[in-house]
Amino acid sequence: MSDAIIRDLEDIGQHRLADVLRGLPPPPADRLAMQVASLDLRLVARLVDELVRTPVAAHPSGLTPAEVDRLPVDGAGRARRRLAVEAGEQALREGRVAVVLLAGGQGTRLGFDHPKGMFPIGPVSNATLFEVHAAGVGATRRRYGCDLPWYLMTSDANDAPTRQFLDGHGLFGLSPGSVTTFIQGMLPTVDRGTGDILREAPDRLALSPDGHGGIFRALGRAAILGDLEERGIDTIMTFQVDNPLMRPADPGFIGAHLLAHSEMSTLVVSKVTPEERMGVMATVDGRPALVEYSDLPGDLHGARDDCGDLVFWAGSTGVHCLDRAFATRLATGQVPLPFHGAGKRVPTPEDPAPAHPNAVTFEAFMFDALPLAERTAAVEMERAERFAPVKNAEGPDSPATCRAAIVERSARWLDQAGICVPRGAGGASQHPIEIDPRFAQGAPDLDGRLPADLVVDGPLLLRG
Ligand code: UTP
């Protein structure tokens, strides 16, 4: 097998790895050759050519604000949103929806030694991110009497611990067979200067996950899209493991997507400050697109319109709705998703502790599919209701800010239900409060569910 692999490597200009394979004795050479054989070498050659040997630092041009389905401010807007919720609820009742949780990331910034979904986030319960999402999926199934299949995208690195964790907790009460993990792809990392494929050990390639955009190819490889078609599911909502405020299969978002006849929709929230490091929805050369924070020219971050509002205010939550047929076109490569290269420090046998980024890793981003869709929708939701991600160990978007957001949302729901929540400095709830999605998924769900003598005088956990 090694001889054929060596020829293939030489055909795409990977002479260094070919020489390594030639020089290794059989057992390690076979192990390495097997790994090389699992790569899409034509894709690797293209990525090295486009992103390493002749990189083009393209900044988006022709940037204008995105068209967004804004939060309602009047009766007509509220009526439109009600229609959207009804459309989403109908699709759920008809069993036309599946949800996919993106959980393949490495969680580098959080620095947690397990899959991010195992991070305890409940301010009172200590429930993990996985449990919160599972509770939301279960509550939605019961509410609409639907199957709502739940898929979790994992990576080679975190698939086994993720499955062990979910199984070890009895899938948090969800029925076996209704929760499926599938593994995203891996791509080789290459030398930053030469584009040579790198190894992390003499007989092992240095691989890294292919980004959340790998979802499409991974769904295709796992034959999930075909299954969905057979089950009559035409709408897939995807969300991120690190945002416990997100409601899986949010009927309002799904309905807005369906009523817009959109192939891919994205959920946006208002940026808090111009400097907040969020990607924003924009129109780039006439196409809707998500522009990463670092790609937005500096002077545009704070650009304001005549009313003094931020022009690029629509921050991305990483939550999307997809038409199954569109996802299938992406999965088959009929509509190809671009890749991005990022500099990284990757230890190799030749340089076990690189002082500077020595490698380029390749990733595809899910949001890059937006400009490829024939019809899209960007739908604004209330930030305090839907978005508080756990990205960093401390500071903004950390466990502390996320827990505070959970408490404040719970307190607000209680306020709306007529319960007095004692407030301290700055109006924050004096006590930690947490409402499990199995108890309520919004303030209206609390109607008639709260004990008449409920007093908030200490930590409070409402769970159903
Ligand atoms: P992030 O881009 O925030 O990455 O992922 P991350 O891995 O969680 O954290 P850092 O950047 O290493 O600190 C956003 C979402 O996309 C998923 C993550 O699990 C998260 O839900 N993701 C990211 C994948 O599923 N696969 C990837 O390759 C990357």
Side-chain angles (χ1 to χ4, degrees), residues 102-110 116 153 184 209-212 239-242 363 391:
L102 303 180
Q106 292 168 302
T108 328
R109 286 168 288 172
L110 183 60
K116 221 190 214 183
M153 183 167 85
Q184 70 177 100
D210 59 0
H212 39 63
F239 57 118
Q240 305 198 338
V241 71
D242 49 24
E363 275 190 302
K391 297 286 182 196

Side-chain angles (χ1 to χ4, degrees), residues 240-383:
Q240 305 198 338
V241 71
D242 49 24
N243 178 18
L245 289 198
M246 193 55 223
R247 178 173 172 173
D250 187 321
F253 178 47
I254 290 171
H257 162 82
L258 290 171
L259 293 181
H261 301 287
S262 164
E263 285 190 321
M264 179 167 182
S265 303
T266 188
L267 196 155
V268 299
V269 294
S270 257
K271 277 181 73 165
V272 177
T273 61
E275 296 76 32
E276 188 182 14
R277 301 189 68 85
M278 273 180 111
V280 289
M281 262 317 279
T283 306
V284 179
D285 291 333
R287 304 289 308 152
L290 204 130
V291 180
E292 282 201 277
Y293 181 85
S294 50
D295 286 342
L296 192 68
D299 53 327
L300 292 186
H301 286 290
R304 292 188 183 269
D305 61 19
D306 293 345
C307 304
D309 296 325
L310 278 184
V311 174
F312 295 100
W313 61 270
S316 162
T317 59
V319 176
H320 301 288
C321 238
L322 293 156
D323 174 58
R324 192 206 61 243
F326 177 59
T328 305
R329 296 212 298 281
L330 286 150
T332 54
Q334 211 177 324
V335 186
L337 209 57
F339 281 87
H340 302 258
K344 217 174 168 185
R345 278 189 288 186
V346 172
T348 64
E350 297 79 25
D351 184 0
H356 304 286
N358 57 329
V360 175
T361 59
F362 302 115
E363 275 190 302
F365 301 146
M366 200 178 164
F367 53 72
D368 277 336
L370 281 162
L372 306 175
E374 275 168 29
R375 285 172 312 282
T376 62
V379 183
E380 184 186 11
M381 293 264 165
E382 220 174 297
R383 181 173 177 134

Side-chain angles (χ1 to χ4, degrees), residues 40 98 123 149 204 230 331 355 399 409 411 435:
D40 177 348
R204 219 171 42 241
E230 271 173 31
R409 186 177 73 168
I435 301 177

Side-chain angles (χ1 to χ4, degrees), residues 168-205:
H169 288 82
L171 299 176
F172 296 105
L174 300 176
S175 54
S178 72
V179 181
T180 311
T181 58
F182 65 103
I183 306 182
Q184 70 177 100
M186 301 291 277
L187 285 169
T189 60
V190 302
D191 184 281
R192 197 174 186 175
T194 60
D196 289 336
I197 296 175
L198 294 176
R199 292 169 301 150
E200 62 180 13
D203 60 348
R204 219 171 42 241
L205 296 176

